[in-house]
Amino acid sequence: MCLAVPLQILRIDGREALCGHRGLEVRARVDLLEDAAVGDWVLVHAGFAIAVVDPAEAAEVWSLVGEVTGRGVG
Amino acid sequence: MEVCGTHSHAVGRHGLRQLLPDSVELVSGPGCPVCVTTAGQVELALELARRGAMVATFGDMMRVPGPSGSLAGARAAGGDVRVVYSPQQALELAAREPGREVVFVAVGFETTAPAVAAVAKQAPAAGPSGFSLLGLHKLVPPALEALVADEEVALDGLLCPGHVSVVIGSEAYRPLAERWRMPCVVAGFEPEDILLGVAMLLAQIADERAEVENAYPRAVRPEGNPRALALMEEVFEPTEAEWRGLGSLPDSGLKLRGAYAALDARERFGLAVVAAPEPPGCRCGDVLRGRLRPAECGLFGGACTPARPVGPCMVSSEGACAAAYKYERTQVVRG
Amino acid sequence: MDEGVVTLAHGGGGSLMAELLAARVLPVLGVAEAGEDAAGVGRGLLMTTDSFVVKPLVFPGSDIGRMAVYGTVNDLAMRGGWPRAMTVGLIVEEGLSLDVLDQVVASLAAAAQECGVKIVGGDTKVLEAGRGDGLYINTTGLAEALLAERDLPSLGRARPGDAVLINGPVGEHGIAVLAAREQLGFAAEVRSDCAPLHEMARALIEELGTGVHCLHDPTRGGLAAALNEIALASGVGMRLEEGAIPRRAAVEAACELLGLDALQVANEGKMVAVVEEGMAERALKVLRADERGREGAVIGEVTEGVAGRVELVTELGTTRIVDMPSGELLPRIC
């Protein structure tokens, strides 16, 4: 638990933001974050952004799996 | 053991057990906040619906069976039960219908509690007077301690829940690593995240290390989300809570504190939890503890299926039994 | 747990609905060809009935009127029929805006004309306010069978070795409707895929004749329900390739957000075709020649595995079951 999706902040309106990705747009509250700026990627859970994330790191995970196990997967 | 229902679901959906060596067994634990809600706690929500309140709930809770049925059943019988995606929507529903009693069923671990706290903070000032919360939040670390101490289960490593950790931070697991010598790795939810987490656990076990490692650094920091934690602290305080399968654990639940106690639905409606027995033959408790595999439960796949769940492990898409049935069962059960 | 009443889950198009029908409805009514999209009634004719319940009534890409016509046309087409005529029953809730009624009726008329189907009759009833979702539509459709009754595509004709195809990406209709409901707080660049499929179905039958074993539209319960129904009725297994199933990025993103499985989300302009081994390429060509089949793909095959079991080979190379959905599609946060 729990479901949270990475989305990019498109617009901020006080404590709410419009976040989107791949044609999806979601209203989410950003008041759980210290500083969230337009363009940041955030994890949205139950209508709230709970963290700012670094999407570039996601791409590296597969190679890390290979490093740790000493082999590829699949 | 993984203790996150979203991990259980992802493992099933991607068939990840097939990629693990035979010597590794990934067991599902009590990681689904819906699954660990007791029948008596579900009954509180049902009672509210019966009393004419508008009950706003996450979709996850709709089909969980309590002693007198489920919220979906309550809706079918004419109760006003609404599915919401966010606690904010529950407050908005209340604002749109002044004069109605609207209760939000607040289920979830630390991932969800800050959001509910934020909404609770708004409610007295800006919100309508008919809004209240049925607080059923639970905290993960106390449950982990109970599991790690369980000799029958004998875990070698813990795959820690990624999104709970976003809030509480990876350092929250240090006592487990240090006091109990339990390898801990915080993992994300993509298949590669989970595999990395398992690989890192195996590396720790092979090296005879017991550390807290973070395999989800893109989202999880050692200190977590301080603002979210502060908000939780302001609105809630830890309290003893009953967990299906684990019994009563001290300081493992959250209750509204101070001025926010005025939002407590139990007070407002004068509700007390009635001890409700688990359905006969239901082994959810043992499955949640990792003492029993889903397929080992006598009801699995026969009397208990996702269409007709007996216990919560089968209802919730994240329950260990639902994940096992939907993705991994080896025999087709008709219907 | 049986609660002594019908619940929304019974309407989900999945196993609970199948059970309800099998236990309480079909045996009493003496329905022979239960489960098929339309029935042969002799004299080269096929008949079907359908009811349309959707909230909101109007959503991106379509509305209940258009859905009612296409849905009926498609049921007939899935059984190898060329739709000719239909009747329309309107059950209207007191208080429905006349503008909305006009829009829906105009839609019905336009869709019927588009499909070359005559609306030959109907009925209208009005319910008290509070007792309906604005408007329900029930239809009965009539078609000419394109083949002799025994050669018509049927849910029970899939055989090991057959190829399984679909004409485009899954999950658009269900997501478009959920997005239009507003209280979930999300919008998506997704329009309902609502479309008539009779021309594509006829083209397949003209090209492959009795090589078209099954045609089935994955409406409520999604692709998962449709494939499980075929596998169960035919007593065969199926194996799908996850990577081969066409998907839209926006639909996937919405499913991730709400915790839904795209394979269980409703479609209104898709059809599954199960064709004889060796005919996959020709079938694919036919689908792609139609504007509604441009993204058509071969997504799997029928196997001799456990009867009724649909398996999916994931993009990781692992295998998992595609289960028959059990009930209401509920968004989740956990």
Side-chain angles (χ1 to χ4, degrees), chain C residues 166-170 172 193 197 216-218 267-272:
Chain C
I166 193 166
N167 63 310
V170 296
E172 294 172 301
D193 59 339
L197 302 167
H216 195 25
D217 54 342
N267 306 273
E268 287 289 331
K270 294 293 169 306
M271 74 182 192
V272 169

Side-chain angles (χ1 to χ4, degrees), chain C residues 36 78-79 152-158 212-215 230 234:
Chain C
E36 299 284 0
M78 293 303 102
R79 200 72 170 90
L152 291 172
S154 145
L155 295 183
R157 284 186 58 205
V212 180
H213 291 173
C214 321
L215 293 175
I230 294 173
S234 297

Side-chain angles (χ1 to χ4, degrees), chain C residues 170-175 193 218-222 262 264-268 329:
Chain C
V170 296
E172 294 172 301
H173 175 78
I175 294 300
D193 59 339
T219 54
R220 231 164 242 201
Q264 296 190 357
V265 178
N267 306 273
E268 287 289 331
L329 208 61

Side-chain angles (χ1 to χ4, degrees), chain A residues 61-74, chain B residues 19-20 195 199, chain C residues 316:
Chain A
V61 182
W62 275 122
S63 62
L64 283 173
V65 180
E67 263 179 52
V68 178
T69 58
R71 59 188 170 97
V73 177
Chain B
L19 295 175
L20 300 177
L195 290 172
Chain C
L316 293 170

Side-chain angles (χ1 to χ4, degrees), chain A residues 1-4 15-16 27 29 31-34 43-48 50-54 57-58 61-62 64-65 68-69 73-74, chain B residues 4-6 19 31 33 85-88 92 109 111-112 115 118 122 163 166 192-193 195-196 199 216-219 221 225 227 231 318:
Chain A
M1 133 80 217
C2 325
L3 285 182
R15 65 179 169 210
E16 268 202 23
R27 284 187 297 139
R29 296 243 323 232
D31 48 321
L32 293 179
L33 301 176
E34 291 293 349
L43 272 182
V44 176
H45 167 78
F48 280 75
I50 57 172
V52 175
V53 297
D54 180 351
E57 283 187 43
V61 182
W62 275 122
L64 283 173
V65 180
V68 178
T69 58
V73 177
Chain B
C4 173
T6 312
L19 295 175
Y85 167 69
S86 161
Q88 167 144 314
E92 286 167 1
F109 293 141
T111 326
T112 320
Q122 274 176 271
H163 292 147
V166 163
E192 58 268 32
D193 290 318
L195 290 172
L196 179 61
Y216 196 22
R218 67 186 187 272
R221 282 153 204 110
N225 180 334
R227 196 184 255 208
L231 204 53
E318 299 209 317

Side-chain angles (χ1 to χ4, degrees), chain B residues 18 49 78 100-101 174 176 199 258-259 268 299 313:
Chain B
Q18 292 158 44
R100 288 270 341 250
E101 285 289 334
R174 187 153 300 284
L176 288 166
R268 201 182 185 88
L299 303 181
C313 296

